[in-house]
Amino acid sequence: MIVRTDAVVLKSMRFRDTSKIVTFYTRRFGKVAAVAKGARETKSKFGAALEPMTEVHLVLYKKAQRDLQLVSQCDIVKPFKNIHAGMERMQTALSVLELLHQLTHDEEENPAVYALLTETLEAIDQADRNFQNYLYAFELRFSALFGFRPVFEHCFVCGRGVADENPRIMFRIDRGGLLCSRCADRRIGDRWAGISTSIGSPTARILQRLLTARLDSLSALAYGGPVWNEVDETLRSYLRYHFEGWRPLKSAEVFRAMTADGH
Amino acid sequence: MAYTAESVEHLAAQFAQLPGIGRKTAYRLALYVLKMDKEEVVSLARALVNAKEKIRYCSVCSNITETDPCGICSNAKRDRTVICVVEEPSDVLALEKTNEFKGLYHVLGGVLSPLDGIGPEDLRIKELLGRVSSSSVDEIILAMNPNVEGEATTLYLSKLLKPLVGKVTRVARGLPVGSDLEYADEATLSRALEGRIAV
C-alpha cells in the first residue's frame, strides 16, 4: 500500500552497494525503518533528503507484515540548514534524535511527539546559544507526553509553593515531584518510599522553565556550572527510572571526546 | 537444505559473505567457478591469498599498499605541501582516477559517527596531526562525504587543523555534473549557491 506522511530522518545507514536503510519518525506511523534503493548514487532522486535532522514529506510502499518498508519518494520540507553548519547545534539535535530513537518503539503513532520533535529542531536551528537547554527541554516534555510530567512549582503532597524553600528541596524521582520541607519532615512522603534526590531551588526554577517556557525563549536561559550539573544529573536519573530503554547517549559521549580534544 | 555437493555449498556460503552477494548470486558464482579451467581457479585463489598476505597499511598515509611507504607517499614528484584527507582507501582510488590531484593523502579509516558512538580515538586523527606538525604542509583538503557524519568530521578537523596549517579547505558540495537543476533538492541547491565561484 502506498502511504504518505511527514517525517523526520532519525538515522541513515549504508545498505548493500548503493542503498541506505533509513529510520524515520513519522507523523502518521511513529518510528519506521525503510530501504531507499540507490540512495548513495550521485544522481539519486533522494538527494540530501535522507540526511538525519531533515524534515521530509515521505511516500512509502508499506506492508503490514514486514519490518523494513520501501521508500518510494522523499522530498525535503525543512532542511534545518543551521543545525548542519555548527558543531554545538548538531550535537544537541543528534542527541534529541538518538533519545527519541532509543525511547520509542516501531510503528507507535504519536502526533504530539512528532510535533515536539519538529518544534525542537526548529528552535535549535534558530537558536544562537545555550543549545543544551533544548535537549533538556525535549527530555522533560517528552516525559510529560508519556505520562511522566514532573512537578517543580509546588509540593506534590500538600500543594504548597516551594519557591521559598531553602537551601535544598527533595525531588522524588519515582513520583516526579518536589516535596516541601514540612511534608518531608512529617515523613508524609514515606507512604511512597522510593528514590529521591535533593536539588537547589534555582535548579527547580530552571527545570520548571525548561518544562514550560516557550522553546524559542530558551536560548536566553543561562545558568552556572553547579546548576547545570544538577539539572543534567536530575534528568539522567529521572529518565533512567521512568524509561526502561534509556541508556547514556552515544552521541553525547562522542561530542564530549571531540570537545576534550578540540580545545 | 543442501541442494548440491557439500564443497559447492561451502563455496557458495563463502561467496555469500561478500557485500552485495545474496544466496542466489553466491550459488551462481560457485557454479561458474566449477566451469572454469583449473588454472584459472588456482590463479583466482592465489590472487585472493596474495592480496590478503601482501597488503598492509602505509605507515605515512594509512592507504592500502604492498610497499611501505606506499607508491604515492614515496613518489618524489608528488606535491608534499598539500594533503587531502579522505575517509577510506576507496576514496583515494576515486580521486586518483581524476588525475587532477598531485599532492599526498591521509586516510582516516572512517568518519566521526556520533549516533554509532564512533569518536576521534577510533580514527587516524592523531597520526594526521603528527604528520602536519612534523612536515611543512601549506594546505589540507578535507574530502569527506557530504553527509552528517562527514560534516561533523569536517567541522572537528578544521577546528584542530586551523592553528597548525595556513590553509584548510574542503571539497565543494552541490550539483552533480550532468544533473538537472530543477530536480535538485533545496539542501543541495543552497549548498551549491553557498559554494559558488567567480567565472
Side-chain angles (χ1 to χ4, degrees), chain A residues 10-11 14 42-43 47-48 51-53 76 81 84-87 90 94 98 250-251 254-255 257-258 261-263, chain B residues 87 112 114-120 145 147-148 151-152 155-156 159-160 176-177 185-188 190-191 194:
Chain A
L10 297 184
K11 203 175 174 184
R14 292 175 176 197
T42 315
K43 288 181 192 172
E51 284 303 301
M53 305 178 289
I76 294 177
K81 221 175 85 186
H84 292 258
M87 188 80 92
M90 194 188 281
L94 283 176
E98 189 184 347
K250 285 182 198 167
S251 52
V254 169
F255 278 108
M258 286 162 71
D261 283 5
H263 286 297
Chain B
E87 293 177 19
L112 296 170
L115 292 177
D116 298 312
I118 298 173
N145 286 328
N147 51 31
V148 169
E151 284 302 310
L155 288 169
Y156 177 65
K159 203 170 171 184
L160 290 183
V177 176
D185 60 79
E186 297 89 322
T188 306
S190 65
R191 278 166 200 171
E194 276 170 14

Side-chain angles (χ1 to χ4, degrees), chain A residues 132-170:
Chain A
Q132 189 71 9
N133 283 343
Y134 293 96
L135 174 62
Y136 295 152
F138 182 83
E139 289 174 335
L140 285 164
R141 292 162 202 231
F142 181 85
S143 303
L145 289 174
F146 280 84
F148 304 113
R149 184 190 172 95
V151 177
F152 297 113
E153 65 269 48
H154 53 73
C155 170
F156 78 91
V157 176
C158 66
R160 200 164 66 94
V162 287
D164 54 346
E165 293 272 334
N166 207 12
R168 311 286 296 171
I169 316 168
M170 186 189 281

Side-chain angles (χ1 to χ4, degrees), chain B residues 70-82:
Chain B
C70 69
I72 297 173
C73 289
S74 55
N75 186 344
K77 287 181 183 164
R78 307 287 299 211
D79 182 354
R80 289 173 185 279
T81 62
V82 186

Side-chain angles (χ1 to χ4, degrees), chain B residues 42-56:
Chain B
V42 170
S43 161
L44 173 66
R46 240 181 234 142
L48 287 170
V49 175
N50 270 353
K52 189 63 196 167
E53 281 179 349
K54 289 184 180 168
I55 294 296
R56 62 184 108 164

Side-chain angles (χ1 to χ4, degrees), chain B residues 22-160:
Chain B
R23 209 163 148 261
K24 233 175 183 177
T25 311
Y27 272 107
R28 203 172 297 138
L29 290 172
L31 294 172
Y32 180 77
V33 168
L34 294 184
K35 283 185 190 167
M36 288 164 71
D37 292 340
K38 193 176 175 190
E39 293 74 41
E40 285 178 322
V41 176
V42 170
S43 161
L44 173 66
R46 240 181 234 142
L48 287 170
V49 175
N50 270 353
K52 189 63 196 167
E53 281 179 349
K54 289 184 180 168
I55 294 296
R56 62 184 108 164
Y57 290 106
C58 171
S59 58
V60 181
C61 69
S62 304
N63 191 15
I64 49 172
T65 177
E66 276 191 23
T67 56
D68 192 17
C70 69
I72 297 173
C73 289
S74 55
N75 186 344
K77 287 181 183 164
R78 307 287 299 211
D79 182 354
R80 289 173 185 279
T81 62
V82 186
I83 296 178
C84 179
V85 183
V86 294
E87 293 177 19
E88 300 289 351
S90 54
D91 300 326
V92 174
L93 263 176
L95 284 162
E96 280 300 286
K97 272 195 224 161
T98 65
N99 248 334
E100 290 284 329
F101 181 65
K102 301 295 176 202
L104 303 178
Y105 292 94
H106 188 87
V107 182
L108 287 177
V111 267
L112 296 170
S113 182
L115 292 177
D116 298 312
I118 298 173
E121 68 285 356
D122 301 311
L123 308 175
R124 298 186 190 103
I125 292 176
K126 276 187 189 136
E127 290 84 342
L128 172 65
L129 297 178
R131 266 180 94 178
V132 171
S133 333
S134 62
S135 55
S136 54
V137 177
D138 295 335
E139 183 181 359
I140 296 277
I141 303 169
L142 301 172
M144 271 72 247
N145 286 328
N147 51 31
V148 169
E149 291 85 4
E151 284 302 310
T153 312
T154 301
L155 288 169
Y156 177 65
L157 286 180
S158 62
K159 203 170 171 184
L160 290 183

